[in-house]
């Protein structure tokens, strides 16, 4: 019988499948770093994993705590700086980058800055970080959304997706041709962008999810692929690696905090 | 795009594959550690009509110009190898009108590479040079040698240079792995910018080392593997210039070069013996030892003065400790599975 998996594990594994061997990959923290570790261990041993802090070609041995975590690996190939990591992206040396989503609109534009009025926010999110720079110039950007939301209009426009849709991104002349978000991995399935309209559509759903469950999160009339398929469940190999590498991802933040504290208290006794 | 492939090849193969007639070619090294073997190989293969970039020419530029490979030269400093009376290959070529030259200051030249390295189209430089003929007299670049713009913040007129992105960089370093992670230390000059601004990079090195050596010292890497096209192992590959940690500048061999280079014929004779007369660095080194003796060869070798290793160690190299318990939660893999089950965390 196939091993059972948690939603977080499924999302990590789906993301890892987007990394091909010999690619230069910029990883944001959390889900993407685990996905990168998985890809490098299983199907992309020559992939060059990078973090924007200037850690180039590293192999994570434990989950990185943030994007400047040289403690997650045992050495790496090239120590450069933040500035140069962004300009190497600008020059077209980054094949894929992974970004998290706060709000997303139908053309893949992102808000990770504030919910509500920017000057009097309901929720102040982390901000831009490196997101606008990476999604502008990486050849391809994979979006991951765990807690975010689909909206008709962003409260704050942090990162450029396909702007007003159609060819507006290319026509702006500010981005390399063919760049932009390529997919969105949500908690319910995988979305892609229509080649002509550049509108987000549902392409694949997770086992146990139906289209109505997806549609109720989306405030516009969501397009669904004519050949909508189910995401292939994790293989045993993918799952074994992910769980051993990142048990915290399977358990979630709250349970990890609870178990960590109780272990600390018990071992002190 | 080039990534973690084995890129080790001979200098001959690398130059055949990655240097073309008509290229903008940059010598990545600056004054020291020059990529002598790669320069020699470019000369042996007679790659011509080059636009040559050199931060500071030493014998490298002289012999390339003497060989008739260079149509245009962008530089800041020219070695007068023949002294005041003898002149230089560059001077002879200028007089013969076979060479066009663009003169920059060291800072301006380097700024062009930094702009190119970062993908910018120009770079602000220091405006004092506008009072000089460096600004006023233009070579083949004409108007595009320097241009001015108004600073949007201060309104002041500021000076800019255009970016440079040479077709290929040839560069010598101390060590590299087979994938092309190149490590260099000492006088940093403009070496990294020269390499990283270029479209293709040929690295020669004193030694090819295991990837593990690179991993434990990433602060020494100046070119990451994904930018490198070829890795050439060329011990003694910079002689008669020096490589920190390996050998000194050879004043004896350099003196021989300079005495011969005082005339075009003398320089040709030197090149016949030391470039065309040997097929690669191995033969060059053998011929060098035969000519100058084993003692002299050993005398210029470096006495080790090892850098204290930087510690890249961390507390954990696995999520689980040696007893199979997760480092922070203290639970085993089986217990993780049990908790996932108990807390109903499985999907679906």
């Amino acid at each position: 019988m196939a091993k059972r998996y948690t939603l977080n594990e499924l999302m990590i594994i789906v993301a890892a499948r987007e990394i091909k061997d010999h690619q230069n990959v910029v990883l944001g923290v959390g889900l993407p770093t685990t996905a990168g570790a998985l890809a490098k261990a299983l199907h992309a041993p020559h992939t060059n994993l990078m973090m924007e802090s200037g850690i180039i070609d590293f192999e994570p041995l434990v989950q990185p705590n943030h994007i400047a975590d040289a403690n997650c690996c045992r050495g790496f190939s090239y120590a450069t700086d933040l500035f140069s990591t962004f300009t190497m992206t600008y020059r077209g040396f980054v094949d894929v980058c992974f970004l998290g989503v706060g709000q997303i609109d139908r053309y893949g534009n992102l808000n990770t800055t504030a919910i509500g009025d920017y000057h009097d926010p309901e929720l102040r999110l982390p901000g831009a970080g490196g997101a606008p720079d990476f999604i502008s110039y990486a050849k391809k950007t994979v979006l991951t959304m765990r807690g975010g939301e689909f909206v008709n209009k962003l409260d704050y426009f942090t990162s450029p997706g396909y702007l007003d849709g159609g060819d507006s991104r290319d026509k702006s002349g500010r981005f390399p041709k063919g760049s932009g978000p390529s997919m969105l991995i949500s908690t319910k399935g995988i979305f892609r962008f229509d080649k002509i309209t550049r509108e987000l559509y549902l392409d694949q759903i997770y086992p146990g999810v139906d289209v109505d469950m997806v549609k109720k999160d989306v405030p516009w009339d969501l397009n669904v692929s004519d050949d909508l398929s189910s995401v292939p469940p994790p293989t045993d190999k993918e799952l074994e690696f992910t769980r051993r590498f990142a048990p915290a991802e399977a358990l979630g933040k709250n349970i990890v905090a609870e178990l960590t504290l109780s272990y600390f208290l018990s071992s002190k006794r | 795009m080039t990534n973690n492939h084995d890129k080790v090849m001979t200098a001959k193969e690398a130059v055949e594959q990655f240097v073309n007639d008509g290229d903008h070619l940059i010598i990545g090294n600056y004054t020291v550690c020059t990529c002598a073997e790669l320069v020699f190989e470019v000369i042996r293969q007679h790659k011509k009509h080059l636009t040559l970039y050199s931060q500071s020419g030493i014998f490298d530029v002289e012999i390339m110009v003497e060989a008739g490979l260079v149509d245009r030269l962008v530089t800041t400093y020219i070695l007068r190898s023949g002294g005041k009376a003898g002149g230089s290959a560059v001077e002879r070529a200028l007089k013969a009108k076979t060479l066009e030259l663009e003169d920059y200051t060291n800072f301006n030249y380097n700024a062009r590479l930094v702009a190119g390295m970062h993908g910018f189209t120009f770079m602000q430089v220091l405006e004092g040079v506008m009072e000089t003929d460096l600004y006023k007299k233009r070579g083949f670049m004409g108007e595009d040698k320097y241009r001015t713009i108004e600073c949007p913040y201060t309104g002041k007129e500021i000076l800019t240079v255009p970016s440079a992105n040479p077709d290929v960089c040839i560069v010598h370093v101390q060590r590299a792995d087979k994938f092309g992670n190149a490590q260099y230390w000492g006088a940093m000059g403009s070496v990294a910018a020269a390499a990283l601004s270029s479209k293709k990079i040929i690295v020669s090195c004193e030694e090819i080392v295991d990837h593990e050596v690179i991993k434990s010292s990433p602060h020494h890497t100046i070119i990451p593997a994904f930018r490198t096209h070829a890795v050439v192992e060329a011990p003694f590959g910079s002689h008669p210039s020096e490589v920190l940690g390996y050998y000194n500048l050879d004043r004896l061999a350099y003196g021989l070069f300079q005495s011969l280079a005082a005339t075009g014929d003398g320089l040709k004779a030197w090149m016949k013996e030391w470039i065309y007369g040997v097929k690669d660095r191995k033969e060059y080194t053998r011929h060098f030892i035969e000519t100058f003796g084993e003692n002299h060869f050993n005398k210029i070798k470096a006495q080790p003065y090892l850098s204290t290793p930087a510690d890249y160690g961390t507390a954990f190299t696995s999520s689980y400790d040696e007893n199979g318990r997760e480092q922070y939660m203290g639970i085993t893999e089986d217990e993780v599975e049990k908790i996932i089950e108990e807390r109903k965390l499985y999907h679906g």
Side-chain angles (χ1 to χ4, degrees):
Chain A
M1 197 186 96
K3 281 177 73 117
R4 301 181 69 198
Y5 51 89
T6 72
L7 182 59
N8 267 348
E9 287 174 328
L10 177 61
M11 290 178 73
I12 289 163
I13 288 162
V14 166
R17 290 170 182 169
E18 290 303 304
I19 298 173
K20 311 292 178 231
D21 205 6
H22 291 289
Q23 281 183 327
N24 295 324
V25 182
V26 167
L27 300 173
V29 82
L31 190 158
T33 45
T34 309
L38 170 62
K40 197 161 173 76
L42 294 194
H43 63 264
H46 305 95
T47 205
N48 168 16
L49 302 180
M50 313 196 261
M51 293 195 279
E52 67 189 85
S53 53
I55 295 173
I56 310 291
D57 194 19
F58 72 107
E59 184 178 355
L61 300 173
V62 298
Q63 263 195 298
N65 290 308
H66 44 68
I67 44 91
D69 192 353
N71 283 60
C72 77
C73 51
R74 203 171 159 78
F76 50 103
S77 293
Y78 177 45
T80 184
D81 53 25
L82 195 89
F83 189 91
S84 301
T85 311
F86 284 111
T87 60
M88 77 175 65
T89 311
Y90 182 53
R91 286 190 65 200
F93 294 116
V94 172
D95 298 302
V96 195
C97 86
F98 287 79
L99 297 178
V101 172
Q103 286 183 329
I104 184 167
D105 72 12
R106 68 177 74 199
Y107 298 121
N109 304 304
L110 311 177
N111 171 15
T112 50
T113 302
I115 306 291
D117 179 0
Y118 172 65
H119 295 288
D120 182 18
E122 260 168 65
L123 263 183
R124 171 62 214 206
L125 303 177
D133 308 304
F134 283 129
I135 199 173
S136 290
Y137 303 111
K139 286 188 185 152
K140 172 172 147 174
T141 301
V142 174
L143 306 172
T144 61
M145 184 163 86
R146 283 200 270 207
E149 55 173 350
F150 296 92
V151 294
N152 278 319
K153 189 170 179 352
L154 303 175
D155 292 342
Y156 183 96
F157 190 126
T158 314
S159 299
Y162 292 107
L163 307 184
D164 301 320
D167 58 358
S168 57
R169 181 178 169 109
D170 279 351
K171 261 171 99 177
S172 77
R174 299 191 199 282
F175 307 97
K177 289 254 182 295
S179 66
S182 62
M183 70 190 291
L184 168 72
I185 300 168
S186 84
T187 53
K188 297 195 173 139
I190 297 174
F191 301 72
R192 295 183 194 275
F193 294 86
D194 183 87
K195 291 221 162 20
I196 306 296
T197 66
R198 295 302 188 185
E199 188 173 315
L200 205 58
Y201 67 89
L202 181 64
D203 191 42
Q204 287 179 293
I205 45 177
Y206 295 154
V209 174
D210 65 44
V211 173
D212 287 341
M213 291 164 75
V214 179
K215 280 195 160 181
K216 83 177 174 31
D217 297 336
V218 181
W220 65 87
D221 189 14
L222 178 72
N223 290 322
V224 177
S225 170
D226 292 341
D227 29 65
L228 179 75
S229 60
S230 183
V231 173
T235 65
D236 285 358
K237 257 170 95 178
E238 288 171 327
L239 202 54
E240 269 161 31
F241 178 88
T242 308
R243 191 156 304 162
R244 177 160 176 85
F245 178 79
E249 286 291 335
L251 296 171
K253 245 188 219 161
N254 294 339
I255 296 176
V256 169
E258 172 199 323
L259 295 175
T260 299
L261 188 63
S262 74
Y263 181 55
F264 174 72
L265 294 174
S266 70
S267 62
K268 287 285 167 184
R269 230 173 257 147
Chain B
M1 190 65 61
T2 166
N3 209 315
N4 286 342
H5 305 278
D6 184 339
K7 296 164 195 154
V8 177
M9 58 185 84
T10 63
K12 183 165 179 285
E13 290 164 338
V15 170
E16 270 169 8
Q17 214 172 319
F18 298 113
V19 182
N20 297 308
D21 286 353
D23 270 358
H24 285 226
L25 178 142
I26 187 165
I27 294 172
N29 302 99
Y30 162 70
T31 303
V32 298
C33 195
T34 201
C35 45
E37 172 59 356
L38 294 177
V39 167
F40 285 20
E41 188 54 37
V42 170
I43 292 170
R44 284 184 201 113
Q45 293 189 27
H46 204 73
K47 300 289 184 182
K48 54 191 181 300
H49 300 308
L50 302 175
T51 296
L52 179 64
Y53 288 73
S54 160
Q55 176 88 54
S56 191
I58 49 172
F59 65 88
D60 46 10
V61 173
E62 280 291 281
I63 56 182
M64 285 183 74
V65 170
E66 183 61 43
L69 311 185
V70 184
D71 289 359
R72 291 174 159 182
L73 174 63
V74 184
T75 193
T76 79
Y77 191 91
I78 294 158
L79 176 76
R80 240 187 121 73
S81 54
K84 198 173 176 191
S88 74
V90 169
E91 185 183 85
R92 287 191 292 275
L94 287 173
K95 283 181 176 161
K97 307 252 182 275
T98 56
L99 177 70
E100 293 183 284
L101 179 63
E102 202 65 86
D103 269 300
Y104 277 109
T105 71
N106 260 336
F107 182 75
N108 296 169
Y109 174 97
N110 195 347
R112 293 192 60 198
L113 304 178
V114 171
M117 155 185 179
H118 291 301
F120 302 148
T121 51
F122 70 90
M123 178 68 71
Q124 179 177 355
V125 292
L126 310 177
E127 54 272 18
V129 81
M130 291 175 72
E131 297 298 330
T132 74
D133 278 340
L134 281 145
Y135 179 75
K136 291 171 189 159
K137 291 206 188 331
R138 309 293 174 102
F140 62 86
M141 290 178 69
E143 291 296 306
D144 281 340
K145 183 181 181 185
Y146 291 101
R147 286 183 187 272
T148 58
I149 53 171
E150 186 188 300
C151 171
Y153 300 100
T154 64
K156 199 174 134 184
E157 184 182 38
I158 58 176
L159 183 63
T160 73
V161 288
S163 64
N165 291 104
D167 296 300
V168 57
C169 174
I170 52 175
V171 62
H172 192 67
V173 299
Q174 278 97 341
R175 64 191 188 199
D177 66 12
K178 63 182 178 184
F179 307 120
N181 289 300
Q183 297 199 324
Y184 171 75
W185 55 91
M188 301 311 285
S190 52
V191 183
L196 297 177
S197 63
S198 299
K199 293 169 189 145
K200 289 171 286 181
I201 305 171
I202 302 175
V203 169
S204 65
C205 58
E206 287 297 314
E207 52 184 328
I208 290 174
V209 293
D210 198 84
H211 178 63
E212 189 57 36
V213 173
I214 304 290
K215 258 181 75 185
S216 67
S217 55
H219 52 290
H220 289 313
T221 306
I222 62 161
I223 307 164
F226 72 87
R227 295 297 315 279
T228 300
H229 289 73
V231 181
V232 175
E233 191 171 44
F236 211 48
S238 185
H239 183 268
S241 84
E242 66 271 54
V243 178
L244 188 62
Y246 291 81
Y247 44 88
N248 274 27
L249 183 137
D250 187 350
R251 289 172 62 176
L252 179 64
Y254 221 112
L256 174 76
F257 166 82
Q258 286 198 300
S259 65
L260 284 169
T263 64
D265 287 346
L267 183 54
K268 280 196 181 74
W270 185 89
M271 288 169 67
K272 190 170 172 222
E273 178 176 355
W274 294 97
I275 300 176
Y276 301 113
V278 293
K279 89 170 192 297
D280 56 17
R281 198 50 29 171
K282 225 185 212 157
E283 278 193 17
Y284 172 97
T285 308
R286 199 180 309 137
H287 182 55
F288 172 77
I289 294 170
E290 280 163 12
T291 309
F292 293 96
E294 191 89 38
N295 278 349
H296 177 65
F297 181 59
N298 290 328
K299 186 175 162 179
I300 60 169
K301 279 189 184 161
Q303 316 273 346
Y305 176 59
L306 294 179
S307 170
T308 304
D311 196 338
Y312 279 82
T314 67
F316 312 129
T317 52
S318 158
S319 297
Y320 290 88
D321 68 16
E322 64 282 7
N323 301 315
R325 296 194 166 274
E326 204 281 338
Q327 306 278 9
Y328 277 101
M329 296 183 281
I331 50 179
T332 63
E333 287 186 79
D334 287 345
E335 286 164 346
V336 170
E337 308 248 327
K338 238 175 76 192
I339 294 166
I340 295 172
E341 184 76 57
E342 282 167 12
R343 309 264 182 133
K344 302 192 184 342
L345 298 174
Y346 282 122
H347 178 70

